[in-house]
Amino acid sequence: MSAPDPSLVASCEDGETAAFASLLAAAPPALAASLGLVHTRVAGALAVASRSLEKRMYNHVFGLGVRGPVTAANLDVLERFFAGAGSKSCRVALAPARGAPALADALAARGFAPP
């Protein structure tokens, strides 16, 4: 089986990330605050956390590694973000891409769970 076209993978990941960013932007500020719903961008990815919602989609990293390499410093930022947000767990879904197995290993070593 051949690897998927990287540009198609990137387009799909970008679409999912943009859709979720739009959803977050539409959340009324009072609701977002009451749920502890926060987000940040790291290495082109969107990280979302909630101290109140334990659902995977609200404690998730979208698009990690799609737009470029992910460094140990990027993973440090993600760890601090989720710890600071009070998120009990976090999922990172990796798109099929070159370097994904190594990134998956680096994430697992830091306690990030696959979806």
Side-chain angles (χ1 to χ4, degrees), residues 42-60:
V42 177
L46 174 66
V48 180
S50 172
R51 70 172 181 282
S52 301
L53 299 170
E54 294 186 33
K55 299 266 186 211
R56 176 176 63 155
M57 69 186 268
Y58 294 106
N59 295 283
H60 195 93

Side-chain angles (χ1 to χ4, degrees), residues 3-97:
D5 176 5
S7 64
L8 177 60
V9 169
S11 292
C12 291
E13 289 291 322
D14 288 346
E16 180 182 35
T17 301
F20 207 85
S22 178
L23 176 71
L24 292 170
L31 176 63
S34 72
L35 297 174
L37 187 59
V38 293
H39 62 282
T40 193
R41 294 278 186 165
V42 177
L46 174 66
V48 180
S50 172
R51 70 172 181 282
S52 301
L53 299 170
E54 294 186 33
K55 299 266 186 211
R56 176 176 63 155
M57 69 186 268
Y58 294 106
N59 295 283
H60 195 93
V61 181
F62 297 88
L64 188 64
V66 171
R67 289 287 168 197
V70 178
T71 66
N74 297 142
L75 297 181
D76 291 343
V77 170
L78 286 172
E79 282 184 314
R80 286 191 302 272
F81 170 74
F82 284 102
S87 175
K88 295 179 181 97
S89 66
C90 168
R91 302 283 189 242
V92 182
L94 295 177

Side-chain angles (χ1 to χ4, degrees), residues 2 51 96 105 109:
S2 64
R51 70 172 181 282
D105 290 345

